[in-house]
Amino acid sequence: MPEQPDVNLARLLPHDPADRLPLRADVVELLRRAGVEFFRIPIAPEGEAMQAYFLSPAYIHCHFTPTWVAQEGSALTLLQVFLSKVHPEDREHMSGVARILLGSENHNSDITSNRFRGVSETGQWCWYEVRMSVRMEGDLRICEGLMINVEEQEEARHKLERVAFEDRLTGLGNMAATLRSLQRLIHPGGEARAMAPPDPADTAGDAPPSSDPQVARNPDPFAIIWLDLAGFGRLNSLLGRSKGDEVLISAARILREWIQDGDLLTRPNSDEFLIVLPGRDSDAALSAAQHLQQVLPHRMQSHTDLQRGLSFRAGICSYPHHGQEAETLLGYAAAALDQAARHAPDALVVYSEALTESAREVMSLEQELQQVLSRNELRLVFQPQVGADGALLGCEALLRWQSPQLGMVSPGRFIPLAEETGQIHGIGAWVIEEACRLQAHWRAEGLNPPPMGINISAVQLTNSRISVAEHLLNCLTRHRLDPAALHVEITESGALEENGIRQLTAIHSAGVVLEIDDFGTGFASLSALLRLPIHTLKLDQSFVREMDTSEASVAILRASLALADSIGATALVEGVEESWQAEQLVDMGYRRFQGYLFSRPLEHDAYTELLRDPSHLRRQGQEAASAQS
């Protein structure tokens, strides 16, 4: 240790002790035991007076600075030793505090640090906070303050942080944590990351080092991948919530393993995850998402046996190219994800301004759709189904929406949106009610209408809280209709849900005929198909359209007819537009058709006239065939 300097303390010490806070040694020790350490140190100017102060009873130090520091007699040495006891991630911030302290020349300057981690007297990292003031004693600037152990407060705050910012299922950050992490990346000088408690959003990878809170720097670019597990909702419905949670936990674990140090991973919504890639742009993020799509199925298989049919779609955007604020970027990533959901289960979409306009259009469409029933803007049109001899065998009721603001809206636009927003339940209930009302009306007029096919969405069938079967059977009873008056058409994929199978079985048991619509285009399981009492397979029009160019389409048409025969069902082909198509289909063995060759969808009055004179349909088909021959 350095020798004690030979100086005259009485001559060098200031002679105004009244300005000094009177503290007995036992009081200082009592405060220390309570986690509050009082300190009093000279900070400037360096020299003999400072050395003398360090060796006087006026000097009081905290446990960060050992007793030998006083013999050095230097504030710079003391601060260097102090900083060596500070956690490396917090040292830059405390260095900034030290610079402010040394540069403070104002009397009664008050300085408070952010919370930081330092070595405790037991050798462990603990959280501390320093509160100081600077005053003059003679020519010396003196710093007095308190170093407070705030470990318990930090633990309590961590618990609150976890409640507010952590997803309890996966341990990842939630949407609030996502927003906070993005704000910190965009405004790195606003709040030192090292001073705050650990962010759940940062737990998947090592966060980049924090910057001095007093010195702002330009933020680095970053990219966002907002992905959603396609097929999870269906799996969750089939297997139950506990199995769904197992899949989400496995997905979170896989994504943790896949991301790199410095990347951020959160779970903002039920089956959605968000990845932030610091230092990368949208192109890099797109490449990363493509790589993840390649490795995810294999890794999911190694974690759980419940990966069946799971993939993901994603929306991508980047800072600062697409936006300057966290909320804006999240909105853009969500818009890109929404567009991806409309494309394909595994679509990857990078945000563009066109998506914002598209999102506005969707929002406008959704707002109008909410009023569609109260404004009575929906109607049904009817496309006849005919036999090989041109006889009217039935019709399919097709939904039309004439909006005063938007004009005629295609079902391809508003039906998927209605399914997504849940409005399909009200719309579907209206279709059932209207179909029953019209069938009852025509029967009362003595027109003897053939069965009417109505489409029921898979979303309606998979909702366990709303029973489509109960509503349909109630409508039939209320309108005094024979159940055979209606045929229920369901898409191939919609028929495979367990809850859907139960409802369809109940519908069939009541006497309503079941038809599989767009057969051959879904993800049918033959075992599930055989569980259903199917009356008709409706072959999708795409096979008819490709009959002259695709041998596979012809093979599918032949195989589907054989399948229908084997399960005791009939087969109907949609989209027949030309006579040669009808002739080939008849040669294959098909006897039921629907398409423009026979009739376009008819409005109410036109279909009523057809019911009065069905021979008109046969003549119309013959005329169309003659015109093409």
Side-chain angles (χ1 to χ4, degrees):
M1 295 295 179
E3 296 183 0
Q4 180 173 332
D6 184 14
V7 295
N8 186 332
L9 297 180
R11 176 176 61 82
L12 294 175
L13 284 174
H15 296 284
D16 190 8
D19 290 341
R20 191 179 302 151
L21 180 66
L23 280 179
R24 300 198 318 265
D26 60 335
V27 175
V28 173
E29 181 60 27
L30 185 62
L31 287 171
R32 175 173 291 189
R33 290 178 183 176
V36 180
E37 296 185 66
F38 176 81
F39 60 87
R40 182 191 290 129
I41 59 173
I43 55 174
E46 299 273 339
E48 291 184 352
M50 178 179 287
Q51 293 170 357
Y53 197 100
F54 270 109
L55 297 174
S56 74
Y59 166 67
I60 302 175
H61 65 94
C62 68
H63 77 271
F64 277 23
T65 51
T67 55
W68 65 262
V69 171
Q71 300 179 28
E72 289 289 327
S74 169
L76 292 176
T77 299
L78 180 144
L79 291 173
Q80 289 172 354
V81 173
F82 182 96
L83 290 172
S84 71
K85 306 294 184 181
V86 174
H87 193 285
E89 291 182 6
D90 302 343
R91 199 168 290 157
E92 188 174 356
H93 166 69
M94 292 307 294
S95 296
V97 172
R99 287 192 293 271
I100 294 173
L101 179 64
L102 293 174
S104 176
E105 298 181 356
N106 296 327
H107 187 62
N108 292 328
S109 295
D110 293 326
I111 302 170
T112 299
S113 75
N114 288 339
R115 293 182 175 184
F116 64 96
R117 287 159 290 180
V119 179
S120 70
E121 293 183 277
T122 60
Q124 298 175 310
W125 293 118
C126 285
W127 286 93
Y128 294 93
E129 184 177 281
V130 175
R131 301 175 184 177
M132 304 167 283
S133 65
V134 177
R135 60 184 180 78
M136 299 298 297
E137 283 192 15
D139 293 331
L140 281 177
R141 269 184 286 151
I142 305 299
C143 172
E144 287 182 338
L146 301 174
M147 188 170 80
I148 307 169
N149 186 317
V150 292
E151 183 69 18
E152 291 185 4
Q153 294 95 312
E154 279 298 305
E155 288 181 2
R157 188 165 75 159
H158 288 180
K159 291 179 181 178
L160 292 175
E161 292 273 332
R162 282 192 289 273
V163 171
F165 294 100
E166 184 177 299
D167 167 46
R168 280 185 280 183
L169 179 65
T170 63
L172 298 175
N174 56 17
M175 177 57 85
T178 303
L179 183 61
R180 184 172 67 171
S181 296
L182 294 180
Q183 289 170 337
R184 288 174 174 172
L185 287 173
I186 295 171
H187 306 290
E191 178 184 0
R193 292 170 65 94
M195 298 304 99
D199 191 334
D202 301 339
T203 57
D206 294 334
S210 62
S211 61
D212 188 330
Q214 308 297 334
V215 181
R217 63 176 175 82
N218 292 327
D220 295 325
F222 60 83
I224 296 172
I225 304 173
W226 193 334
L227 62 90
D228 133 69
L229 296 177
F232 174 79
R234 182 167 175 268
L235 185 148
N236 203 38
S237 297
L238 283 171
L239 302 180
R241 182 172 179 178
S242 62
K243 294 297 185 182
D245 287 349
E246 183 182 329
V247 170
L248 291 173
I249 292 170
S250 295
R253 189 180 302 120
I254 290 167
L255 292 173
R256 278 192 180 102
E257 295 168 354
W258 178 80
I259 65 173
Q260 297 177 301
D261 289 349
D263 297 346
L264 306 179
L265 172 65
T266 64
R267 181 187 171 217
N269 284 314
S270 171
D271 58 349
E272 298 176 1
F273 295 88
L274 188 141
I275 302 170
V276 181
L277 305 177
R280 278 154 284 182
D281 59 14
S282 297
D283 290 338
L286 179 59
S287 298
Q290 290 168 340
H291 175 260
L292 181 58
Q293 281 188 330
Q294 295 173 359
V295 302
L296 181 66
H298 173 71
R299 295 193 182 185
M300 282 294 289
Q301 191 171 10
S302 66
H303 278 79
T304 176
D305 61 352
L306 303 175
Q307 83 288 349
R308 60 187 79 170
L310 274 183
S311 60
F312 74 84
R313 50 194 162 230
I316 297 168
C317 69
S318 63
Y319 170 89
H321 178 68
H322 291 123
Q324 303 289 325
E325 296 298 331
E327 294 88 346
T328 302
L329 290 166
L330 287 174
Y332 289 165
L337 176 60
D338 182 68
Q339 190 68 18
R342 299 176 190 281
H343 283 327
D346 59 351
L348 304 175
V349 175
V350 178
Y351 173 78
S352 66
E353 290 186 5
L355 291 183
T356 303
E357 182 60 33
S358 175
R360 291 195 189 99
E361 292 177 0
V362 171
M363 184 176 296
S364 175
L365 186 64
E366 182 178 349
Q367 291 172 344
E368 292 299 316
L369 192 59
Q370 292 172 352
Q371 309 296 324
V372 71
L373 293 176
S374 61
R375 295 174 179 172
N376 196 30
E377 294 174 1
L378 296 177
R379 72 178 189 277
L380 295 179
V381 296
F382 313 91
Q383 186 166 30
Q385 297 168 343
V386 303
D389 59 354
L392 178 63
L393 303 179
C395 73
E396 179 181 3
L398 302 171
L399 191 59
R400 295 291 183 264
W401 176 20
Q402 181 71 43
S403 168
Q405 287 75 27
L406 305 175
M408 180 61 72
V409 184
S410 165
R413 287 184 63 199
F414 75 83
I415 293 296
L417 181 61
E419 292 178 333
E420 180 182 336
T421 60
Q423 296 177 67
I424 191 65
H425 299 294
I427 293 173
W430 179 90
V431 169
I432 293 172
E433 179 69 37
E434 182 69 0
C436 289
R437 184 187 71 82
L438 290 174
Q439 285 289 74
H441 171 73
W442 286 321
R443 285 185 184 277
E445 293 289 315
L447 298 180
N448 194 29
M452 179 188 297
I454 58 172
N455 290 276
I456 291 183
S457 164
V459 175
Q460 294 172 263
L461 287 171
T462 55
N463 190 309
S464 59
R465 297 186 301 274
I466 302 174
S467 174
V468 176
E470 182 178 347
H471 176 65
L472 187 147
L473 299 180
N474 286 339
C475 286
L476 288 171
T477 301
R478 187 167 57 255
H479 291 282
R480 299 179 180 179
L481 281 177
D482 186 328
L486 290 185
H487 288 188
V488 167
E489 298 186 13
I490 51 173
T491 59
E492 188 177 353
S493 57
L496 304 184
E497 299 286 358
E498 190 63 35
N499 185 56
I501 290 174
R502 287 195 298 270
Q503 293 207 60
L504 292 173
T505 301
I507 289 172
H508 174 266
S509 298
V512 178
V513 166
L514 301 183
E515 300 181 346
I516 297 292
D517 197 16
D518 299 332
F519 183 75
T521 62
F523 303 94
S525 162
L526 286 179
S527 61
L529 188 64
L530 292 174
R531 294 172 60 190
L532 292 170
I534 300 301
H535 177 275
T536 303
L537 300 183
K538 296 186 67 177
L539 277 295
D540 186 69
Q541 60 184 337
S542 61
F543 302 121
V544 177
R545 190 165 53 243
E546 298 170 358
M547 282 176 59
D548 60 337
T549 59
S550 170
E551 293 182 4
S553 292
V554 174
I556 290 173
L557 286 167
R558 294 185 185 279
S560 298
L561 185 62
L563 175 62
D565 289 340
S566 69
I567 64 175
T570 62
L572 182 150
V573 185
E574 297 179 296
V576 181
E577 297 183 357
E578 300 184 37
S579 58
W580 68 266
Q581 294 172 335
E583 291 170 2
Q584 288 191 23
L585 291 167
V586 168
D587 290 342
M588 290 182 196
Y590 282 96
R591 294 295 180 266
R592 295 168 63 90
F593 308 96
Q594 180 178 332
Y596 285 3
L597 174 64
F598 307 98
S599 175
R600 291 178 175 272
L602 302 176
E603 296 290 343
H604 172 272
D605 291 347
Y607 186 67
T608 301
E609 289 302 314
L610 179 63
L611 293 178
R612 297 185 190 281
D613 181 13
S615 63
H616 173 71
L617 181 64
R618 185 179 290 107
R619 291 195 302 271
Q620 183 173 317
Q622 292 171 347
E623 290 170 1
S626 300
Q628 293 181 21
S629 59

